[in-house]
Amino acid sequence: MLRERKRKHRVPELNTTSTADISFMLLTFFLVTTSMDSDNGIHRQLPPMPQEKQEEVAEAKRRDVLLVSIDAGNRITCNGEEVAAGGLRAKVAEFVENPKGLATLPERLPRDIPLLGRCAVTANHQIFIQADRAATYDAYFCVQDAIMAAYGGLRDRLARQRFGHGYAECSEAERQAVAAYYPMRLSEGEIEEEGGGR
């Protein structure tokens, strides 16, 4: 009988020289094809120093200033009157437009606006936002959203009346005309504690 010879089987080694190249190519592929979410914030020009702004508000006529305050308990008030977040948009829109020409709201002054002609606008109105340091960001953004929605609604309605389409579809010249009719005038500051708190 023939004895079977034991054969030693050698496992072939893997060639790993190109592994680094493959890893690099996969990394590059995922970086190129993956979309990164970017955080969007509120686009605003920062106001001047609070001291300067307070002097500016003091010099303005009382009827031209809407003081929107957020206290430590996230309660929102407009010129001392508490208002719900949902009602703030209507308050701001009425203040900015003053449709009935009330003496308690900003005065409507005649202005010549390109594409719109001679118009009576509340060009001197100011919305001053004061937020307590203890107020939450949610309350602050809710106030900002309501104010932006009020301006957006007024501008969109005017664009539809005068140009036959919404503000978003306006040309650059039309946007400038609508923005001149409803200029956005916002200021911000902090509520100071009584007695000159820190």
Side-chain angles (χ1 to χ4, degrees), residues 13-186:
E13 293 181 9
L14 293 174
N15 185 359
T16 59
T17 54
S18 63
T19 306
D21 294 335
I22 293 170
S23 299
F24 180 72
M25 288 190 328
L26 284 173
L27 178 64
T28 304
F29 172 76
F30 285 117
L31 286 175
V32 170
T33 59
T34 304
S35 63
M36 302 288 182
D37 290 337
S38 59
D39 293 334
N40 292 327
I42 298 177
H43 301 286
R44 296 279 186 282
Q45 184 174 357
L46 292 175
M49 296 296 287
Q51 183 66 26
E52 296 171 16
K53 262 309 165 193
Q54 287 171 2
E55 290 170 7
E56 183 181 321
V57 170
E59 290 173 7
K61 290 182 183 177
R62 184 67 218 139
R63 69 182 284 184
D64 290 336
V65 178
L66 179 67
L67 178 61
V68 180
S69 300
I70 311 167
D71 67 10
N74 294 327
R75 285 185 299 277
I76 303 166
T77 58
C78 286
N79 287 342
E81 179 185 332
E82 190 168 346
V83 62
L88 181 60
R89 176 180 174 174
K91 278 262 193 207
V92 170
E94 181 186 18
F95 174 79
V96 171
E97 187 175 24
N98 190 7
K100 298 176 184 175
L102 300 175
T104 56
L105 296 177
E107 185 178 2
R108 295 174 63 89
L109 303 170
R111 293 282 187 270
D112 289 318
I113 301 174
L115 302 181
L116 297 177
R118 194 146 181 88
C119 308
V121 299
T122 59
N124 295 329
H125 76 272
Q126 294 181 20
I127 299 174
F128 189 72
I129 303 170
Q130 282 189 324
D132 192 287
R133 288 186 181 207
T136 64
Y137 283 113
D138 287 342
Y140 175 78
F141 287 127
C142 184
V143 166
Q144 285 281 350
D145 286 344
I147 292 171
M148 295 305 294
Y151 276 106
L154 290 171
R155 289 179 173 183
D156 193 64
R157 189 184 70 201
L158 178 66
R160 290 184 190 283
Q161 288 173 350
R162 296 296 183 97
F163 306 123
H165 50 258
Y167 184 70
E169 292 86 39
C170 285
S171 66
E172 186 60 33
E174 291 171 341
R175 281 176 184 252
Q176 288 177 0
V178 172
Y181 194 97
Y182 291 121
M184 190 176 300
R185 300 183 50 135
L186 295 176

Side-chain angles (χ1 to χ4, degrees), residues 5-16:
R5 290 186 182 175
K6 289 186 180 177
R7 292 184 182 175
K8 291 184 180 178
H9 293 288
R10 297 184 85 192
V11 177
E13 293 181 9
L14 293 174
N15 185 359
T16 59

